[in-house]
Every structure is written in C-alpha cells, then in structure tokens.
Amino acid sequence: MSSYHITLLAGDGIGPEITAVARRLLEVVAQQHNFSLSFDPQPVGGAAIDATGEPLPASTLSACRGADAVLLAAIGGPQYDNLPRAKRPESGLLALRSGMELFANLRPVKIVPALIGASTLREEVISGVDLMVVRELTGGIYFGQPKGRVTSESGEERGFNTMTYSSSEIDRIARVGFDLAVQRSGRLCSVDKANVLDVSQLWRERVDAMASDYSGVEVSHMYVDNAAMQLVRAPRQFDVLLTGNLFGDILSDEAAMLTGSIGMLPSASLGSEGPGLFEPVHGSAPDIAGQDKANPLAMVLSAAMMLRIGLKQEAAAASLEKAVDAVLAQGLRTGDLMAEGCTAVGCQAMGDALLKALG
Ligand code: NAD
C-alpha cells in the first residue's frame, strides 16, 4: 500500500477550521482508495510568530522540503500588521515559496453548475468553463535585473524594471504546461506579447520547440491583450493557459473572477523536484475566524489538487471533487455563497455533509 507524508500548515485565522475539515476528508478518502497518509502539523505565519518569533521557522521549512506534499490553509491577521516587514506572516509565505523553489503556479478555474449565478458573467458565457492557468512564478519582470529608480541632473525621475527569461526558465514552466495539457483535454494556449517583446519571441520559440515532444498536444499562441479579452468573451475556448509571471498575475485573477467566488478557488505551486505546495487562493479571513462561518471548499479542492498532482492519486482526487459538487447540488451553502432557497451551514456542518457525500 502506498503511503505519503503530508506537512500540514494550518496557519492563521480560519486556517485551523478549514484544515480540520480537509484532514478528516483526506483520512477517509485515503482509506477508500487504499493508500495511507500521515500528517505532520507545523506552524507558519502568525501562529509561528506566536510560537517562535519567526514567521517561517527553519524546522517548518525543512519539514516541508522533506514531505511528499504540503497543504497550507492561509496566514496573516491584523495583530501582525505593525511588525517589521521581514517579521510579518506574509514574509513567511514568500520565504516558504522561494525556500521550496516553487516556480510554477497553477490555478484551475472550473464553473460549478450549482454556483453559476455567483458569477458576474452571463450563464451562456461561463457554463462549462474548465481551464487551468499555469503562471511562471519566480522569474520575469518582478525579478529581472537591472531594476530601480534614478534621478537625472535635471531632476527628471525614471523607474525601470527588466523583463527577462532564460531558455531554461521557459522550458521548465512550459513542460509543466504541456504535462498538464496531456492529463487534461490536450490543448495548450501560450500567452505572450511576441509582436513587441524580444523576451516573448524567445518564449514562443521555446514553446514551439517543446511541442515536438508532445505530439498529442494542440498548441496555440495568443497575445496577452487578446487573451484578456477572450477570457471574458469566450472562456470555454481555453484549456491550459501557459504564461509568464506578470501576464499570469493579471490573467489568473481575471480568470478566477469567472467563478465569482473566492471561497471556492484552489491553487498549487510546484518546483522541478521536491514536494508541491497546495493552498486555497483566499486569505485567513480574520473577520470570521473562530466563528464556524468559513467556507472549507477551496481548502478541500486544494487537497484534491494535492492528491491529483502531488500524489498522483487521481481517483481519490475525483472523489473529493464529486463530494464538493454533491453538497452544493444539495443546496448547502456557507455564508459567503448563501443564496435564496439554499440551506445555510457552518464550516463543521459542511465538513460533515462532505464526509457523508464521500460515502
Ligand atoms: P481574505 O481572502 O482573507 O478575505 C477577504 C474576504 O473574503 C473577507 O470578507 C473574508 O471573510 C472572505 N473570505 C475569504 N475566504 C473565505 C472563506 N474560505 N470562507 C468565507 N469567507 C471567506 O483577504 P484579506 O481580508 O485581504 O486578508 C486577510 C489576511 O489574509 C491578511 O492578513 C492577508 O495578508 C492574508 N492573506 C493571506 C493569503 C495566503 O495565506 N495565501 C492570501 C491572501 C491574504
């Protein structure tokens, strides 16, 4: 029987509540699919500051690096906002991502039929949308050198950043995109600005070169301005959307809003080797922490991504996703999703309903 070691980072705010739900479900789904999971809870963010004075203790980072996968809820809270930047919970999260060398950020955007009314877009535009944004996370214009600000002798100020990608940086993120396209419907759209930017021309050439390794994948290219428009005009045309750091930052938020609901969105961050980090897109929601009001579904869907991508347990991942669809189809809603005619439930009751749906 396969067994996997999971480092569990509950973090702050609603983190412990939604982590408890995900853990119960993971234990059951593992049993149902004949593998075992062991959990190693570690402090991160504000919880780690309270315990050790540091937002990312060395012991937490080393537990994450040594795991088969890392499941994180969320970090942060107003009580830490006045700490020096390096000591804040958010710095712990950035240090975790860079310490685990996570260069690929994956955000699936899937419309749940029961929640279609939550989107700001019309039903006929968004029904059936099921896409994955693959964003490069550790390169591009956010990190390129030179960057800075200078003032000329005449007093004119200038700010500058450099958008740079090496062929190896492009190849490693492109491979993540192609591999995902193989697992999904076999379509990959690479987004760039190759009509203007040299760095995008290299990006396009490397993606085309990699296409010869993946004969089953249909590759297309799109300029980023057109992609931004197409995402709200006809989002069903996309399956895997592969792009760099800056374009991905913008497009992944735009794509996320197709669903209309932050409490539903999971994500994964992956490196070349070593474990991936799986976490909901939302934050620690301090305004509702400890009140049994949190929506645990993004966390549960992040756990499903961990099973599928991190542990290659596709059937178990699909079971968790089916349970999420089932509770929503039953009309159960936490406060953030509440709509007329539905039944209001708290975080724990949602967890109980998910367990029941798992069977
Ligand atoms: P947030 O996502 O925590 O909350 C925004 C709004 O959405 C709040 O009204 C909150 O109640 C609601 N919400 C979020 N998740 C929910 C859930 N699962 N169920 C029900 N309602 C939910 O964003 P924020 O308020 O800007 O930030 C709060 C804290 O979280 C800050 O300290 C911020 O730095 C941190 N944060 C952490 C992460 C992370 O850990 N990856 C991401 C974003 C923000």
Side-chain angles (χ1 to χ4, degrees):
M1 184 163 76
S2 308
S3 69
Y4 306 98
H5 188 65
I6 311 299
T7 298
L8 205 53
L9 306 176
D12 307 320
I14 59 171
E17 300 164 60
I18 59 176
T19 302
V21 169
R23 182 176 174 161
R24 276 163 73 205
L25 289 166
L26 281 167
E27 279 163 351
V28 171
V29 88
Q31 223 172 19
Q32 288 175 338
H33 292 271
N34 295 317
F35 59 91
S36 78
L37 295 174
S38 62
F39 294 96
D40 177 20
Q42 293 284 336
V44 71
I49 294 170
D50 293 346
T52 69
E54 294 296 327
L56 180 66
S59 49
T60 296
L61 179 58
S62 103
C64 290
R65 283 198 184 125
D68 291 306
V70 180
L71 185 61
L72 164 73
I75 53 88
Q79 64 273 47
Y80 308 106
D81 283 351
N82 294 324
L83 292 173
R85 183 174 292 271
K87 296 280 181 194
R88 285 204 211 152
E90 291 76 8
S91 301
L93 187 54
L94 293 181
L96 180 63
R97 287 175 181 154
S98 72
M100 292 176 70
E101 295 175 48
L102 304 170
F103 66 86
N105 184 242
L106 276 50
R107 270 203 205 178
V109 175
K110 190 172 177 180
I111 303 296
V112 181
L115 295 180
I116 213 152
S119 176
T120 50
L121 295 181
R122 288 202 312 269
E123 181 172 343
E124 62 266 33
V125 175
I126 56 158
S127 74
V129 165
D130 182 0
L131 62 89
M132 175 79 81
V133 180
V134 178
R135 167 191 172 194
E136 202 287 330
L137 203 58
T138 54
I141 197 165
Y142 293 165
F143 296 93
Q145 296 287 348
K147 64 177 178 178
R149 287 171 64 158
V150 290
T151 308
S152 72
E153 278 175 14
S154 67
E156 175 91 322
E157 278 199 276
R158 199 163 62 87
F160 54 96
N161 293 84
T162 304
M163 191 189 265
T164 166
Y165 273 115
S166 63
S167 47
S168 59
E169 281 177 313
I170 300 167
D171 289 353
R172 66 182 187 172
I173 187 73
R175 197 162 291 289
V176 172
F178 275 98
D179 286 343
L180 276 165
V182 169
Q183 289 164 30
R184 294 169 56 94
S185 78
R187 284 179 298 126
L188 178 135
C189 178
S190 173
V191 175
D192 61 36
K193 191 70 182 168
N195 49 345
V196 178
L197 300 175
D198 297 282
V199 59
S200 283
Q201 285 159 13
L202 177 64
W203 179 283
R204 200 173 269 222
E205 279 168 31
R206 300 303 299 189
V207 170
D208 277 337
M210 191 165 288
S212 56
D213 295 350
Y214 292 88
S215 54
V217 176
E218 183 192 318
V219 180
S220 60
H221 298 276
M222 198 177 274
Y223 299 135
V224 63
D225 40 351
N226 187 26
M229 182 183 77
Q230 296 297 336
L231 259 177
V232 287
R233 193 189 73 83
R236 268 192 303 272
Q237 70 187 283
F238 296 112
D239 180 20
V240 174
L241 252 170
L242 169 71
T243 191
N245 204 344
L246 171 65
F247 301 154
D249 194 359
I250 299 163
L251 293 179
S252 62
D253 269 25
E254 187 191 0
M257 268 320 292
L258 298 174
T259 68
S261 170
I262 194 168
M264 292 296 300
L265 296 169
S267 77
S269 300
L270 310 176
S272 304
E273 45 194 43
L277 173 71
F278 301 86
E279 57 176 318
V281 168
H282 62 71
S284 59
D287 53 332
I288 56 166
Q291 300 169 38
D292 194 33
K293 287 182 179 168
N295 179 355
L297 297 182
M299 182 68 173
V300 172
L301 292 172
S302 301
M305 277 189 99
M306 177 183 84
L307 292 174
R308 173 174 294 117
I309 296 171
L311 309 183
K312 309 278 180 279
Q313 292 287 347
E314 170 61 36
S319 294
L320 275 191
E321 288 166 350
K322 240 174 95 182
V324 169
D325 286 345
V327 294
L328 290 170
Q330 288 160 29
L332 303 181
R333 300 283 188 275
T334 43
D336 55 312
L337 299 175
M338 195 52 198
E340 225 181 285
C342 294
T343 309
V345 289
C347 183
Q348 283 193 42
M350 187 61 107
D352 294 342
L354 286 162
L355 271 182
K356 210 167 149 195
L358 268 184

